[in-house]
Amino acid sequence: MDAWVWWLVAAAALGIPLIITAMPEFGMLAVGAVAAAGTAGIGGGPVAQVVVFALVSTALILVVRPIARRMRTERPALASGVDALKGRRAVVLERVDGDDGRIKLAGEVWSARALDTDTAFEPGSPVDVVEIDGATAVVM
């Protein structure tokens, strides 16, 4: 059997633990094996095949792995749900104090309470949403 076939078998064998363990390093080694199969297919000797496998696999691990780690740890730039409401401006509809009130936030009417219990906001006043506590917006 030709050497390129063995390299493809090795690539498939490296793909199995990639699927089972979800470790991307196995995929990078599999790509290195495919590159070595290509080297064998164009007539490269065994030393050239191993060198191509090692170089491609190492380059992928050194380049792709840090990028994947960074993407996994970064927070998404787009906030959604109640996280998207924090920091937004709202308008007081009914007097808001430390206990209750109503505001218009993002086109919807929300129950609200003031962050500072000694502060009250009158209807028509602009307020900033500090946090969302259940179905109540905490404003200041």
Side-chain angles (χ1 to χ4, degrees):
M1 197 178 311
D2 292 336
W4 65 271
V5 174
W6 286 109
W7 282 109
L8 290 180
V9 169
L14 287 166
I16 293 170
L18 167 67
I19 293 169
I20 293 172
T21 64
M23 291 180 59
E25 291 82 2
F26 285 113
M28 295 173 210
L29 292 172
V31 171
V34 170
T39 302
I42 60 172
V47 173
Q49 295 168 29
V50 171
V51 168
V52 167
F53 170 74
L55 286 176
V56 170
S57 298
T58 303
L60 285 172
I61 289 172
L62 291 177
V63 172
V64 174
R65 199 166 168 220
I67 294 170
R69 180 176 288 134
R70 187 174 345 118
M71 292 182 77
R72 189 175 39 225
T73 58
E74 286 181 0
R75 293 200 61 185
L78 180 64
S80 62
V82 294
D83 290 332
L85 299 175
K86 293 177 186 175
R88 302 240 350 229
R89 275 272 213 220
V91 177
V92 176
L93 297 177
E94 295 177 14
R95 186 173 193 271
V96 175
D97 55 24
D99 295 322
D100 63 352
R102 295 260 183 231
I103 61 170
K104 186 160 193 164
L105 172 63
E108 298 178 344
V109 176
W110 281 74
S111 62
R113 64 178 161 76
L115 178 63
D116 182 12
T117 56
D118 297 332
T119 306
F121 301 99
E122 298 303 323
S125 301
V127 292
D128 293 319
V129 176
V130 178
E131 67 176 303
I132 304 293
D133 183 17
T136 302
V138 180
V139 299
M140 64 179 227

